């Protein structure tokens, strides 16, 4: 289930994004981005709809993921 990022308290959203960014081993190219830059990039992706916040009832967990990946996973269910 997709949870609209606008329905999550600002502090909670920031913590969720920071946790996501810190656990993802994303390669940002030759120049390493700061935590703040990474968080801002994820916020932009949430606003554009490229990334969504997903709650899994099965695993009782919340995660951020690319919207296309989420839709592909839904098609296989």
């Amino acid at each position: 289930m997709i949870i609209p990022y606008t329905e999550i308290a600002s502090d909670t959203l920031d913590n969720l994004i920071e946790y996501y960014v810190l656990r993802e081993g994303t390669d940002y190219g030759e120049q390493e981005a700061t935590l703040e830059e990474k968080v801002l990039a994820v916020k932009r992706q949430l606003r554009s709809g490229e990334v969504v916040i997903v709650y899994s009832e099965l695993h009782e967990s919340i995660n951020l993921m690319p919207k296309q990946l989420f839709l592909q996973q839904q098609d296989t269910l």
Side-chain angles (χ1 to χ4, degrees), residues 48-63:
S48 72
E50 184 179 342
V51 169
V52 292
I53 299 172
V54 179
Y55 174 72
S56 169
E57 291 180 28
L58 176 64
H59 298 102
E60 296 181 352
S61 65
I62 193 164
N63 194 17

Side-chain angles (χ1 to χ4, degrees), residues 6 12-13 19 29 35 38 42-43 48 60 66 72 76:
T6 55
T12 303
L13 181 61
Y19 176 75
L35 176 61
K38 293 174 186 178
V42 172
K43 285 183 178 182
S48 72
E60 296 181 352
Q72 288 172 356
T76 60

